[in-house]
Amino acid sequence: MGHSYATAGVYTIVLKVTTIINGNPYSDTYSSSITVQPAPTAGFVSSGSCSGSKAYFQNTSGSNGTSITGYVWNFGDPASISDTSAMRNPVYTYNTSGTFNAQLVVFNNLGCTDTIVREVNMFASPAADFNMTVACEGHSTIFFDQSDPALAPIVHQGWVVNDGISADYFAVFADEMAKLL
């Protein structure tokens, strides 16, 4: 039998057992007090980011009048066997995009724990790509942007065109890209 106590304090537990012998009931009762210790309250916020970038975890756990003695993080990254930390405010890099279930377990000096699991969203990074017309000596070559913006519009493009003699840099910003369309 188990029971979850909502509040720390001292409680009385009573157990009564009954048997039947030769048709007659026989009972016994035992009582004892239990001291329910205050548990910490696990909590954190995290900054979702693009895959390959650092995700910052800010621990917001409460001590509930005790001393917190440890933290165990599991960042829920199935692509890694080292996706854990014991730091108070860790940083972790997810190398793929997706939704991950990050878990924090908090321990206090009385042996009590609390656990929280939260989703962390990591977004795909933009992927630069282009193709071009046939490049012929003395003729213009047209370059076509084939980049994948992932989940947000591309706000800046930087092109470096090298002809073996010099390299030219062309920057196009979002407002200029809109004018070209």
Side-chain angles (χ1 to χ4, degrees), residues 46-51 55 94 96-101 118-124 151:
S46 65
S47 61
S49 186
C50 289
S51 59
Y94 293 92
T96 58
S97 60
T99 300
F100 301 90
N101 291 316
R118 289 227 166 109
E119 288 185 347
V120 177
N121 293 310
M122 298 304 292
F123 304 103
L151 296 175

Side-chain angles (χ1 to χ4, degrees), residues 64-83:
N64 200 10
T66 66
S67 296
I68 293 179
T69 58
Y71 308 97
V72 174
W73 293 86
N74 183 315
F75 300 110
D77 186 353
S80 174
I81 58 170
S82 59
D83 66 334

